[in-house]
Amino acid sequence: MTSHNMTWISYPSKNLDFTSPEEIEAFIASQNIISRLMHCYIAFFVPTGLIAGICILIIFIKNYLQYKVIENLDLLLLHFTISNIIMIFLSFTVITRPDYLKATHLACNVLSFFFNFSYFNSQHVLILTLLILLLKRFPPRTALSKGTQRPILCVGFVLIYAFCLSLTEAVLVGTDNYHLETDCQLDPLFAWPEYEIIKFTFGFGIPSFLQILCFTVLFAKAAPAEAPSLHQHIRTYPAAYVISITIFMCRLFYNVMILFRTTFKLQKSIGTPKNELVMNIAEIVLFCESCASLVLILCFHKPCKDEILKVIQNCRRENTAHNHLEIPVTATTHDSGSQ
């Protein structure tokens, strides 16, 4: 793999060489759109996602301390939750939009490494979750079944795999000019074209193929007679299936934009302000997916949903009891006043 000279590349918004009023108006409109989207994301999605993530962590830790055991699915969803919380914190780099975070090439590469680690981590732990749920419905008598019964070992494998992919991506960002300041995105613009190709292949292409394969087997293959019905199986584990569909849709848009950016690099083109706008929208959609996934776990995963319903019921009881205590006091005051 040969080194690439990426010093020529820059954002279209930084090339203010406009030749017509229409181009100026298009530039201003794109800046306004990305600024509004950023404010909506920071104001609504970030607090919701972080609150949901913290609630999930509290519920899982509380259940573990109470029962001294954690289910395989709970462990995988806990791992998924932590990865998405890290993604949300890293997404604060969009606060400067429509401008970009100023950082050295080295600092930007470090941010990109942790972003990719969380990105690959969440994607592959979800595939592992779908595989384990598939094996619950179609239990094989093989070493694969025994391996999936040891979730800590599986999580360790996912961590190592995600680390290796992230390290590869860090190398493909490039090591030139590491001390110079640049406009930084979590997927650096100055990365080599191979960066996007590897990310698309191992972060979306192969995982999406495995995801579709899991769904195909789930719906097409006849289950054993003793297995629960397909409807009952999905109702028992709705969180994983709903999240997998959400992730596929959001990351499809994001990865298509990543590939478009690669084609511009190969053509030695920086694109247009509209291309830059769509790429920024795709990045924010990716971060919104991290927030939405945590909310979906809280709403659809049974231990989390039961705990939330229990808290709501307790609040209603306390409110009802409080109202009942206030009524006699009011009545007594009224009677004494009449006498």
Side-chain angles (χ1 to χ4, degrees):
M1 187 181 298
T2 58
S3 177
H4 297 273
N5 179 14
M6 302 300 295
T7 55
W8 59 270
I9 199 165
S10 64
Y11 290 99
S13 60
K14 301 296 180 180
N15 278 349
L16 303 178
D17 187 19
F18 300 122
T19 58
S20 67
E22 290 78 12
E23 289 182 344
I24 297 175
E25 290 176 3
F27 170 74
I28 294 173
S30 65
Q31 297 287 88
N32 286 336
I33 291 171
I34 192 60
S35 178
R36 290 175 183 176
L37 286 175
M38 181 274 294
H39 283 100
C40 289
Y41 169 71
I42 295 295
F44 299 107
F45 283 89
V46 169
T48 304
L50 288 178
I51 291 170
I54 292 169
C55 290
I56 293 166
L57 293 179
I58 292 172
I59 291 169
F60 282 153
I61 292 171
K62 177 186 174 184
N63 288 345
Y64 176 75
L65 294 175
Q66 184 175 356
Y67 301 109
K68 300 299 179 183
V69 67
I70 185 167
E71 296 290 334
N72 293 357
L73 182 59
D74 289 354
L75 179 62
L76 294 175
L77 290 179
L78 176 63
H79 183 83
F80 180 81
T81 298
I82 294 172
S83 295
N84 279 278
I85 289 175
I86 295 172
M87 286 266 284
I88 293 173
F89 280 119
L90 289 172
S91 73
F92 281 108
T93 55
V94 304
I95 288 178
T96 56
R97 301 294 162 82
D99 202 356
Y100 295 92
L101 181 71
K102 297 293 183 181
T104 62
H105 281 68
L106 179 60
C108 193
N109 200 348
V110 171
L111 285 173
S112 177
F113 171 83
F114 286 107
F115 167 64
N116 284 320
F117 183 72
S118 300
Y119 178 88
F120 290 128
N121 213 358
S122 60
Q123 181 71 70
H124 289 91
V125 79
L126 180 64
I127 299 301
L128 180 60
T129 303
L130 292 176
L131 177 61
I132 289 177
L133 294 182
L134 194 66
L135 294 177
K136 281 181 177 290
R137 183 162 171 78
F138 307 101
R141 304 181 186 277
T142 62
L144 179 62
S145 180
K146 294 179 180 179
T148 54
Q149 290 173 4
R150 302 174 64 183
I152 294 179
L153 184 65
C154 296
V155 167
F157 174 77
V158 169
L159 286 171
I160 294 171
Y161 184 61
F163 177 82
C164 292
L165 286 175
S166 303
L167 197 60
T168 303
E169 291 289 76
V171 173
L172 294 175
V173 170
T175 56
D176 299 333
N177 306 317
Y178 64 91
H179 60 285
L180 297 180
E181 192 175 69
T182 184
D183 296 310
C184 180
Q185 263 185 301
L186 292 177
D187 281 314
L189 181 68
F190 54 85
W192 300 351
E194 289 87 351
Y195 173 95
E196 284 94 355
I197 295 170
I198 293 293
K199 185 157 189 173
F200 176 84
T201 304
F202 292 95
F204 181 75
I206 295 174
S208 295
F209 171 76
L210 295 175
Q211 188 175 329
I212 293 170
L213 186 63
C214 286
F215 274 93
T216 303
V217 173
L218 180 68
F219 286 100
K221 186 177 179 181
E226 65 275 9
S229 65
L230 177 61
H231 179 69
Q232 185 179 351
H233 174 79
I234 294 176
R235 287 191 63 182
T236 306
Y237 310 105
Y241 295 113
V242 174
I243 291 170
S244 63
I245 295 171
T246 304
I247 284 184
F248 176 80
M249 291 189 296
C250 294
R251 295 197 177 187
L252 174 63
F253 176 44
Y254 174 75
N255 279 274
V256 167
M257 292 302 106
I258 282 284
L259 285 185
F260 270 121
R261 195 169 78 170
T262 309
T263 60
F264 288 132
K265 289 181 181 181
L266 295 175
Q267 295 168 2
K268 297 290 184 178
S269 169
I270 63 172
T272 65
K274 184 177 180 181
N275 301 135
E276 183 182 357
L277 169 65
V278 177
M279 185 66 225
N280 280 319
I281 292 174
E283 187 181 33
I284 291 179
V285 168
L286 176 70
F287 294 140
C288 290
E289 172 263 305
S290 295
C291 301
S293 294
L294 296 178
V295 175
L296 292 173
I297 292 176
L298 197 62
C299 294
F300 288 98
H301 188 49
K302 192 175 186 306
C304 297
K305 183 173 66 174
D306 291 346
E307 195 67 29
I308 294 298
L309 291 175
K310 190 187 299 183
V311 170
I312 293 173
Q313 289 173 356
N314 289 337
C315 291
R316 285 179 177 176
R317 287 171 185 168
E318 289 179 4
N319 189 36
T320 304
H322 182 69
N323 290 338
H324 285 165
L325 286 173
E326 284 184 345
I327 293 173
V329 173
T330 307
T332 304
T333 304
H334 179 74
D335 291 343
S336 60
S338 300
Q339 290 175 356

